[in-house]
Amino acid sequence: MTVTIGRRKLLVALGGGAIAWPLAARAQQAAMPVVGLLTSRAPGDTPQLLAAVRQGLKETGFVEGQNVAIEYRFAGNRSERLPALAADLVHRQVSVIAATTTEAALAAKTATTAIPIVFEMGGDPVRVGLVASLSRPSGNITGVTQLNVVVAPKRLELLHELLPTATVMALLVDPTDPASAEITTRDLQAAARSFGLELHVLNASTERDLDAAFAKLIQLRAGGLVISAGAFFIGRQEQLAALAVRHAVPAVFESREFVAAGGLMSYGGNLTDSYRLTGVYTGRILKGEKPGELPVQQGTKVEMFLNLKAAKALGITVPLPLLGRADEVIE
């Protein structure tokens, strides 16, 4: 009888422990801070950028699955989905929202004035109304801006250097991203006038639009194409490169992936470093720093990549000085 009671007590104790252990684990998970990562991109787009955010978090002492959880929200390159995704993260009461791309940042700002927001974008956050100033953002938002919108005129300059006899150029913008489209159009029109070029602005925000835009390029007899920065185009880099090759249009975009996919040239800010800095700021806020007191970080490094195979297919001889300035030449 004594043995039975002892065994019964032991079983109860073990049973209680079996229940307590998962409860303790769940309690630990509940206490773990949660980062809501909101992006215009689709799952699988440029995974190295998400890895860079995690690297930035790691540099501040946070490792996904160990002492921080990440809730991913992908808009699938459909900006109209962002407000609902941002609202969902607010409903879930995440600790910080890391919003990559301008559209995601604007959606997050509209969704909450309480939850800290760290943005990553290519334009001027003051101009689009995200922050009051770069040095003192104020409120619940800060972030990182790279140079992909600011350096858009430089892309036209490089294209002009590569194609000195061309007098007609084109710019491809996404009209559903007005913050980027309007600024880029204005700046490139000014640059085109200074180079004595005729610039045509083409719009694309759907797959069908892209085919129509490239067909229009042939009608316009455009010598080259500058593709605006933006999430819609980032998510379609391989398609853009293929269209440029098919239509024999020299094109320049913002990132190396476009060139690696067969595009001619890219020139833009270092996206990987910007995403890493986004992770660093997110980690610092998790540790208690206030976003409004963290100055917006501005990327200073730009990179240029060239694809010589694409240049050869287009019948273009790349000037040696331009080759010398490239960070990488893909052959």
Side-chain angles (χ1 to χ4, degrees):
M1 188 67 170
T2 304
V3 174
T4 304
I5 293 172
R7 186 176 297 164
R8 198 173 287 163
K9 286 181 179 179
L10 178 62
L11 288 172
V12 169
L14 285 173
I19 294 169
W21 290 336
L23 283 175
R26 281 198 294 272
Q28 185 178 4
Q29 287 177 343
M32 189 182 293
V34 179
V35 172
L37 201 155
L38 178 67
T39 178
S40 300
R41 302 172 191 269
D45 283 357
T46 53
Q48 73 276 13
L49 298 181
L50 297 181
V53 174
R54 291 191 289 268
Q55 174 60 34
L57 280 166
K58 186 176 181 180
E59 290 175 19
T60 54
F62 293 96
V63 178
E64 183 180 15
Q66 294 184 16
N67 59 354
V68 69
I70 302 178
E71 289 273 350
Y72 296 92
R73 295 294 181 274
F74 299 95
N77 300 305
R78 291 172 54 194
S79 57
E80 70 274 11
R81 296 182 59 197
L82 287 166
L85 294 174
D88 179 56
L89 290 174
V90 173
H91 177 71
R92 291 174 182 269
Q93 297 183 322
V94 297
S95 307
V96 184
I97 296 176
T100 68
T101 70
T102 304
E103 304 98 313
L106 289 170
K109 184 180 181 182
T110 301
T112 180
T113 57
I115 296 174
I117 298 167
V118 180
F119 61 77
E120 190 286 332
M121 61 180 292
D124 182 345
V126 177
R127 186 179 289 179
V128 300
L130 279 171
V131 295
S133 75
L134 297 179
S135 58
R136 298 284 294 182
S138 75
N140 65 318
I141 187 165
T142 188
V144 182
T145 176
Q146 22 87 2
L147 302 171
N148 280 328
V149 173
V150 177
V151 302
K154 184 67 177 180
R155 296 189 189 107
L156 181 62
E157 180 183 338
L158 290 169
L159 206 52
H160 180 50
E161 184 178 347
L162 194 60
L163 307 164
T165 61
T167 58
V168 179
M169 296 290 188
L171 167 66
L172 185 64
V173 299
D174 176 7
T176 65
D177 181 9
S180 173
E182 291 170 10
I183 294 168
T184 303
T185 298
R186 185 199 63 204
D187 291 351
L188 257 73
Q189 284 174 336
R193 286 193 295 270
S194 70
F195 299 136
L197 297 171
E198 181 182 348
L199 183 72
H200 294 273
V201 180
L202 306 175
N203 294 319
S205 56
T206 67
E207 302 285 345
R208 183 178 298 178
D209 289 344
L210 287 177
D211 290 324
F214 274 86
K216 184 68 174 176
L217 285 171
I218 305 305
Q219 296 177 22
L220 295 170
R221 297 185 178 180
L225 173 68
V226 176
I227 302 169
S228 174
F232 174 72
F233 299 129
I234 279 282
R236 290 160 177 80
Q237 294 184 80
E238 291 187 5
Q239 182 183 357
L240 287 166
L243 284 167
V245 170
R246 186 190 313 159
H247 294 278
V249 177
V252 57
F253 190 44
E254 64 176 79
S255 63
R256 183 187 181 280
E257 285 74 21
F258 173 73
V259 179
L264 175 63
M265 184 184 348
S266 69
Y267 185 82
N270 188 317
L271 283 175
T272 301
D273 194 53
S274 292
Y275 274 66
R276 181 188 65 80
L277 291 172
T278 301
V280 170
Y281 256 15
T282 300
R284 288 176 63 176
I285 290 170
L286 288 174
K287 286 187 171 182
E289 294 190 59
K290 296 179 180 179
E293 297 176 0
L294 292 172
V296 174
Q297 299 189 69
Q298 300 179 76
T300 56
K301 184 179 180 182
V302 291
E303 299 174 316
M304 181 171 70
F305 300 98
L306 279 164
N307 187 321
L308 285 186
K309 184 178 179 181
K312 184 177 180 181
L314 291 164
I316 296 171
T317 302
V318 180
L320 286 177
L322 197 58
L323 276 174
R325 299 204 304 273
D327 290 86
E328 181 184 351
V329 176
I330 298 174
E331 299 187 55

